[in-house]
Amino acid sequence: MHIEIGTENAVSTVVDETNIASRAKSGTLPVFATPCMIALMEQAAAELVQKSLGDGSTTVGIQMNVSHLAATAIGATVTATAKVTAVDRRKIDFEVTAFDNAGIIGKGEHTRFVVDTEKFMAKAEERKKLVSEANA
């Protein structure tokens, strides 16, 4: 795995009825939802790193610290960018931003961790069994 500091990726979406605050249950208004902005930021980061990983590896988000600074109405395009700021073995830090045609709407920091897909899913399944047993 070789990931260059400074590498960037961008992804975009159009604000519509599926990604507004009232639909995401993060508010009552028909504007781009904060959870959807965060998901778009994570998508930009995950796609950026996935290109450098071998088969059987992926990344999972482990930390997100963002501010949602401006509202975006239905019909507008939102673009999220992720820029690698640090790599420490399997931990990767990003600067994330989101903007629409009027300017920046969100910014912050995000951290992802490289995992072995099979091992990660096995642990998730084991945890699922423990939860089921606890609820029985």
Side-chain angles (χ1 to χ4, degrees):
M1 170 183 87
H2 181 70
I3 300 165
E4 291 282 329
I5 293 175
T7 306
E8 296 184 51
N9 187 44
V11 293
S12 297
T13 192
V14 174
V15 180
D16 62 23
E17 294 292 332
T18 67
N19 55 19
I20 56 174
S22 57
R23 183 71 172 278
K25 298 185 180 4
S26 66
T28 59
L29 300 174
V31 295
F32 194 52
T34 301
C36 296
M37 180 187 75
I38 291 169
L40 197 63
M41 291 169 162
E42 280 204 86
Q43 179 186 349
E47 286 180 5
L48 171 60
V49 176
Q50 194 64 42
K51 299 170 191 174
S52 299
L53 299 178
D55 290 341
S57 292
T58 193
T59 60
V60 292
I62 62 168
Q63 185 174 11
M64 180 66 81
N65 182 13
V66 298
S67 296
H68 196 163
L69 305 169
T72 304
I74 290 175
T77 298
V78 173
T79 299
T81 62
K83 178 180 179 181
V84 176
T85 58
V87 179
D88 182 9
R89 295 183 304 258
R90 297 189 302 151
K91 185 178 128 192
I92 307 155
D93 295 320
F94 302 86
E95 174 185 285
V96 289
T97 59
F99 55 92
D100 59 20
N101 291 343
I104 192 162
I105 66 164
K107 64 180 179 176
E109 299 160 352
H110 177 45
T111 302
R112 300 189 71 77
F113 201 80
V114 178
V115 298
D116 177 280
T117 303
E118 244 180 71
K119 288 180 185 176
F120 187 87
M121 291 309 298
K123 287 179 184 176
E125 287 299 320
E126 185 60 33
R127 187 168 181 85
K128 179 177 150 184
K129 289 178 192 173
L130 293 172
V131 170
S132 293
E133 290 170 5
N135 291 333

mmCIF file of all heavy atoms in Angstrom, residues 56-90:
data_model
loop_
_atom_site.group_PDB
_atom_site.id
_atom_site.type_symbol
_atom_site.label_atom_id
_atom_site.label_comp_id
_atom_site.label_asym_id
_atom_site.label_seq_id
_atom_site.Cartn_x
_atom_site.Cartn_y
_atom_site.Cartn_z
ATOM 1 N N GLY A 56 -8.815 -7.897 -1.124
ATOM 2 C CA GLY A 56 -9.034 -8.376 0.230
ATOM 3 C C GLY A 56 -8.871 -7.312 1.292
ATOM 4 O O GLY A 56 -9.052 -7.590 2.474
ATOM 5 N N SER A 57 -8.544 -6.089 0.899
ATOM 6 C CA SER A 57 -8.417 -4.986 1.854
ATOM 7 C C SER A 57 -9.402 -3.887 1.514
ATOM 8 O O SER A 57 -9.774 -3.697 0.356
ATOM 9 C CB SER A 57 -7.004 -4.400 1.835
ATOM 10 O OG SER A 57 -6.075 -5.316 2.339
ATOM 11 N N THR A 58 -9.789 -3.162 2.540
ATOM 12 C CA THR A 58 -10.634 -1.984 2.373
ATOM 13 C C THR A 58 -10.331 -1.050 3.532
ATOM 14 O O THR A 58 -9.467 -1.343 4.355
ATOM 15 C CB THR A 58 -12.134 -2.362 2.310
ATOM 16 O OG1 THR A 58 -12.877 -1.233 1.845
ATOM 17 C CG2 THR A 58 -12.663 -2.850 3.644
ATOM 18 N N THR A 59 -11.046 0.064 3.590
ATOM 19 C CA THR A 59 -10.895 0.959 4.732
ATOM 20 C C THR A 59 -12.238 1.142 5.414
ATOM 21 O O THR A 59 -13.291 1.002 4.786
ATOM 22 C CB THR A 59 -10.354 2.343 4.328
ATOM 23 O OG1 THR A 59 -11.265 2.956 3.400
ATOM 24 C CG2 THR A 59 -8.962 2.242 3.735
ATOM 25 N N VAL A 60 -12.167 1.450 6.695
ATOM 26 C CA VAL A 60 -13.365 1.794 7.458
ATOM 27 C C VAL A 60 -13.123 3.143 8.108
ATOM 28 O O VAL A 60 -12.006 3.460 8.514
ATOM 29 C CB VAL A 60 -13.703 0.727 8.523
ATOM 30 C CG1 VAL A 60 -14.134 -0.573 7.858
ATOM 31 C CG2 VAL A 60 -12.542 0.472 9.464
ATOM 32 N N GLY A 61 -14.171 3.934 8.183
ATOM 33 C CA GLY A 61 -14.063 5.220 8.849
ATOM 34 C C GLY A 61 -14.037 5.020 10.350
ATOM 35 O O GLY A 61 -14.837 4.253 10.892
ATOM 36 N N ILE A 62 -13.105 5.688 11.029
ATOM 37 C CA ILE A 62 -13.026 5.551 12.485
ATOM 38 C C ILE A 62 -13.202 6.883 13.204
ATOM 39 O O ILE A 62 -13.397 6.901 14.415
ATOM 40 C CB ILE A 62 -11.718 4.863 12.936
ATOM 41 C CG1 ILE A 62 -10.483 5.677 12.541
ATOM 42 C CG2 ILE A 62 -11.647 3.445 12.391
ATOM 43 C CD1 ILE A 62 -9.196 5.199 13.195
ATOM 44 N N GLN A 63 -13.138 7.992 12.461
ATOM 45 C CA GLN A 63 -13.334 9.287 13.102
ATOM 46 C C GLN A 63 -13.741 10.311 12.058
ATOM 47 O O GLN A 63 -13.237 10.305 10.933
ATOM 48 C CB GLN A 63 -12.058 9.743 13.800
ATOM 49 C CG GLN A 63 -12.233 11.018 14.587
ATOM 50 C CD GLN A 63 -10.980 11.371 15.386
ATOM 51 O OE1 GLN A 63 -9.920 10.791 15.204
ATOM 52 N NE2 GLN A 63 -11.115 12.332 16.267
ATOM 53 N N MET A 64 -14.656 11.199 12.467
ATOM 54 C CA MET A 64 -15.095 12.290 11.606
ATOM 55 C C MET A 64 -15.364 13.495 12.503
ATOM 56 O O MET A 64 -16.085 13.386 13.490
ATOM 57 C CB MET A 64 -16.367 11.905 10.847
ATOM 58 C CG MET A 64 -16.913 12.961 9.927
ATOM 59 S SD MET A 64 -15.895 13.374 8.510
ATOM 60 C CE MET A 64 -16.307 12.064 7.374
ATOM 61 N N ASN A 65 -14.764 14.617 12.169
ATOM 62 C CA ASN A 65 -14.983 15.851 12.907
ATOM 63 C C ASN A 65 -15.205 16.952 11.879
ATOM 64 O O ASN A 65 -14.252 17.420 11.254
ATOM 65 C CB ASN A 65 -13.777 16.171 13.797
ATOM 66 C CG ASN A 65 -13.988 17.428 14.609
ATOM 67 O OD1 ASN A 65 -15.081 17.949 14.717
ATOM 68 N ND2 ASN A 65 -12.902 17.928 15.189
ATOM 69 N N VAL A 66 -16.469 17.317 11.681
ATOM 70 C CA VAL A 66 -16.790 18.295 10.642
ATOM 71 C C VAL A 66 -17.738 19.364 11.153
ATOM 72 O O VAL A 66 -18.463 19.167 12.127
ATOM 73 C CB VAL A 66 -17.421 17.635 9.386
ATOM 74 C CG1 VAL A 66 -16.478 16.669 8.733
ATOM 75 C CG2 VAL A 66 -18.733 16.987 9.711
ATOM 76 N N SER A 67 -17.720 20.473 10.452
ATOM 77 C CA SER A 67 -18.682 21.543 10.667
ATOM 78 C C SER A 67 -19.497 21.709 9.394
ATOM 79 O O SER A 67 -18.935 21.715 8.298
ATOM 80 C CB SER A 67 -17.956 22.863 10.964
ATOM 81 O OG SER A 67 -17.237 22.767 12.155
ATOM 82 N N HIS A 68 -20.810 21.811 9.551
ATOM 83 C CA HIS A 68 -21.695 22.089 8.420
ATOM 84 C C HIS A 68 -21.993 23.578 8.486
ATOM 85 O O HIS A 68 -22.671 24.033 9.397
ATOM 86 C CB HIS A 68 -22.969 21.243 8.531
ATOM 87 C CG HIS A 68 -23.743 21.168 7.264
ATOM 88 N ND1 HIS A 68 -24.704 20.215 7.052
ATOM 89 C CD2 HIS A 68 -23.715 21.911 6.129
ATOM 90 C CE1 HIS A 68 -25.233 20.371 5.855
ATOM 91 N NE2 HIS A 68 -24.653 21.404 5.279
ATOM 92 N N LEU A 69 -21.479 24.340 7.523
ATOM 93 C CA LEU A 69 -21.432 25.793 7.620
ATOM 94 C C LEU A 69 -22.520 26.543 6.870
ATOM 95 O O LEU A 69 -22.779 27.708 7.168
ATOM 96 C CB LEU A 69 -20.067 26.278 7.111
ATOM 97 C CG LEU A 69 -18.861 25.637 7.807
ATOM 98 C CD1 LEU A 69 -17.584 25.971 7.056
ATOM 99 C CD2 LEU A 69 -18.793 26.069 9.252
ATOM 100 N N ALA A 70 -23.139 25.906 5.869
ATOM 101 C CA ALA A 70 -24.142 26.613 5.063
ATOM 102 C C ALA A 70 -25.150 25.620 4.503
ATOM 103 O O ALA A 70 -24.825 24.462 4.250
ATOM 104 C CB ALA A 70 -23.464 27.367 3.924
ATOM 105 N N ALA A 71 -26.361 26.098 4.315
ATOM 106 C CA ALA A 71 -27.438 25.268 3.774
ATOM 107 C C ALA A 71 -27.385 25.236 2.252
ATOM 108 O O ALA A 71 -27.007 26.218 1.608
ATOM 109 C CB ALA A 71 -28.786 25.818 4.224
ATOM 110 N N THR A 72 -27.786 24.089 1.694
ATOM 111 C CA THR A 72 -27.842 23.925 0.241
ATOM 112 C C THR A 72 -29.239 23.431 -0.133
ATOM 113 O O THR A 72 -29.710 22.413 0.393
ATOM 114 C CB THR A 72 -26.779 22.920 -0.244
ATOM 115 O OG1 THR A 72 -25.489 23.365 0.200
ATOM 116 C CG2 THR A 72 -26.780 22.810 -1.753
ATOM 117 N N ALA A 73 -29.878 24.131 -1.042
ATOM 118 C CA ALA A 73 -31.255 23.838 -1.433
ATOM 119 C C ALA A 73 -31.338 22.711 -2.465
ATOM 120 O O ALA A 73 -30.362 22.376 -3.138
ATOM 121 C CB ALA A 73 -31.906 25.102 -2.002
ATOM 122 N N ILE A 74 -32.519 22.146 -2.575
ATOM 123 C CA ILE A 74 -32.805 21.116 -3.579
ATOM 124 C C ILE A 74 -32.462 21.662 -4.968
ATOM 125 O O ILE A 74 -32.752 22.809 -5.299
ATOM 126 C CB ILE A 74 -34.280 20.675 -3.496
ATOM 127 C CG1 ILE A 74 -34.509 19.885 -2.197
ATOM 128 C CG2 ILE A 74 -34.682 19.848 -4.712
ATOM 129 C CD1 ILE A 74 -35.953 19.497 -1.943
ATOM 130 N N GLY A 75 -31.841 20.812 -5.765
ATOM 131 C CA GLY A 75 -31.470 21.167 -7.132
ATOM 132 C C GLY A 75 -30.011 21.540 -7.291
ATOM 133 O O GLY A 75 -29.481 21.490 -8.392
ATOM 134 N N ALA A 76 -29.365 21.912 -6.212
ATOM 135 C CA ALA A 76 -27.951 22.303 -6.280
ATOM 136 C C ALA A 76 -27.058 21.069 -6.286
ATOM 137 O O ALA A 76 -27.434 20.005 -5.810
ATOM 138 C CB ALA A 76 -27.590 23.194 -5.095
ATOM 139 N N THR A 77 -25.863 21.213 -6.823
ATOM 140 C CA THR A 77 -24.857 20.150 -6.804
ATOM 141 C C THR A 77 -23.888 20.409 -5.655
ATOM 142 O O THR A 77 -23.413 21.522 -5.486
ATOM 143 C CB THR A 77 -24.083 20.098 -8.138
ATOM 144 O OG1 THR A 77 -25.013 19.796 -9.185
ATOM 145 C CG2 THR A 77 -22.988 19.052 -8.107
ATOM 146 N N VAL A 78 -23.625 19.352 -4.890
ATOM 147 C CA VAL A 78 -22.648 19.421 -3.801
ATOM 148 C C VAL A 78 -21.479 18.522 -4.180
ATOM 149 O O VAL A 78 -21.669 17.382 -4.614
ATOM 150 C CB VAL A 78 -23.257 18.957 -2.463
ATOM 151 C CG1 VAL A 78 -22.190 18.870 -1.379
ATOM 152 C CG2 VAL A 78 -24.384 19.887 -2.032
ATOM 153 N N THR A 79 -20.278 19.032 -4.002
ATOM 154 C CA THR A 79 -19.058 18.264 -4.247
ATOM 155 C C THR A 79 -18.285 18.170 -2.937
ATOM 156 O O THR A 79 -18.116 19.168 -2.235
ATOM 157 C CB THR A 79 -18.189 18.940 -5.317
ATOM 158 O OG1 THR A 79 -18.941 19.009 -6.532
ATOM 159 C CG2 THR A 79 -16.897 18.165 -5.563
ATOM 160 N N ALA A 80 -17.846 16.953 -2.625
ATOM 161 C CA ALA A 80 -17.009 16.728 -1.444
ATOM 162 C C ALA A 80 -15.628 16.315 -1.912
ATOM 163 O O ALA A 80 -15.481 15.552 -2.871
ATOM 164 C CB ALA A 80 -17.600 15.636 -0.560
ATOM 165 N N THR A 81 -14.612 16.839 -1.230
ATOM 166 C CA THR A 81 -13.242 16.470 -1.539
ATOM 167 C C THR A 81 -12.588 15.877 -0.299
ATOM 168 O O THR A 81 -12.922 16.239 0.828
ATOM 169 C CB THR A 81 -12.414 17.682 -2.008
ATOM 170 O OG1 THR A 81 -12.353 18.646 -0.954
ATOM 171 C CG2 THR A 81 -13.009 18.305 -3.252
ATOM 172 N N ALA A 82 -11.654 14.975 -0.537
ATOM 173 C CA ALA A 82 -10.846 14.394 0.531
ATOM 174 C C ALA A 82 -9.395 14.499 0.096
ATOM 175 O O ALA A 82 -9.056 14.158 -1.036
ATOM 176 C CB ALA A 82 -11.224 12.937 0.766
ATOM 177 N N LYS A 83 -8.552 14.992 0.985
ATOM 178 C CA LYS A 83 -7.125 15.148 0.716
ATOM 179 C C LYS A 83 -6.347 14.441 1.821
ATOM 180 O O LYS A 83 -6.569 14.712 3.004
ATOM 181 C CB LYS A 83 -6.756 16.633 0.687
ATOM 182 C CG LYS A 83 -5.293 16.919 0.457
ATOM 183 C CD LYS A 83 -5.069 18.420 0.456
ATOM 184 C CE LYS A 83 -3.619 18.770 0.262
ATOM 185 N NZ LYS A 83 -3.420 20.238 0.278
ATOM 186 N N VAL A 84 -5.448 13.543 1.441
ATOM 187 C CA VAL A 84 -4.639 12.809 2.418
ATOM 188 C C VAL A 84 -3.673 13.786 3.093
ATOM 189 O O VAL A 84 -2.923 14.496 2.421
ATOM 190 C CB VAL A 84 -3.850 11.659 1.745
ATOM 191 C CG1 VAL A 84 -2.940 10.969 2.750
ATOM 192 C CG2 VAL A 84 -4.801 10.658 1.092
ATOM 193 N N THR A 85 -3.708 13.801 4.441
ATOM 194 C CA THR A 85 -2.816 14.687 5.196
ATOM 195 C C THR A 85 -1.766 13.915 5.987
ATOM 196 O O THR A 85 -0.740 14.489 6.360
ATOM 197 C CB THR A 85 -3.610 15.589 6.159
ATOM 198 O OG1 THR A 85 -4.368 14.761 7.056
ATOM 199 C CG2 THR A 85 -4.535 16.527 5.388
ATOM 200 N N ALA A 86 -2.025 12.634 6.274
ATOM 201 C CA ALA A 86 -1.055 11.831 7.026
ATOM 202 C C ALA A 86 -1.343 10.357 6.824
ATOM 203 O O ALA A 86 -2.501 9.954 6.650
ATOM 204 C CB ALA A 86 -1.108 12.156 8.513
ATOM 205 N N VAL A 87 -0.276 9.563 6.832
ATOM 206 C CA VAL A 87 -0.394 8.101 6.751
ATOM 207 C C VAL A 87 0.524 7.516 7.820
ATOM 208 O O VAL A 87 1.715 7.813 7.851
ATOM 209 C CB VAL A 87 0.012 7.571 5.355
ATOM 210 C CG1 VAL A 87 -0.093 6.050 5.309
ATOM 211 C CG2 VAL A 87 -0.839 8.204 4.258
ATOM 212 N N ASP A 88 -0.054 6.725 8.716
ATOM 213 C CA ASP A 88 0.700 6.063 9.778
ATOM 214 C C ASP A 88 0.342 4.581 9.734
ATOM 215 O O ASP A 88 -0.679 4.175 10.291
ATOM 216 C CB ASP A 88 0.370 6.671 11.132
ATOM 217 C CG ASP A 88 1.157 6.051 12.276
ATOM 218 O OD1 ASP A 88 2.086 5.260 12.013
ATOM 219 O OD2 ASP A 88 0.823 6.348 13.441
ATOM 220 N N ARG A 89 1.143 3.821 9.029
ATOM 221 C CA ARG A 89 0.885 2.394 8.788
ATOM 222 C C ARG A 89 -0.501 2.223 8.167
ATOM 223 O O ARG A 89 -0.677 2.533 6.999
ATOM 224 C CB ARG A 89 1.096 1.573 10.050
ATOM 225 C CG ARG A 89 2.548 1.580 10.524
ATOM 226 C CD ARG A 89 2.770 0.710 11.730
ATOM 227 N NE ARG A 89 1.920 1.051 12.853
ATOM 228 C CZ ARG A 89 2.310 1.746 13.918
ATOM 229 N NH1 ARG A 89 3.541 2.164 14.010
ATOM 230 N NH2 ARG A 89 1.470 1.998 14.889
ATOM 231 N N ARG A 90 -1.480 1.735 8.932
ATOM 232 C CA ARG A 90 -2.814 1.488 8.377
ATOM 233 C C ARG A 90 -3.805 2.617 8.653
ATOM 234 O O ARG A 90 -4.954 2.551 8.240
ATOM 235 C CB ARG A 90 -3.361 0.170 8.914
ATOM 236 C CG ARG A 90 -2.527 -1.034 8.484
ATOM 237 C CD ARG A 90 -3.166 -2.365 8.831
ATOM 238 N NE ARG A 90 -3.413 -2.509 10.246
ATOM 239 C CZ ARG A 90 -4.401 -3.249 10.757
ATOM 240 N NH1 ARG A 90 -5.231 -3.896 9.976
ATOM 241 N NH2 ARG A 90 -4.556 -3.351 12.062
#
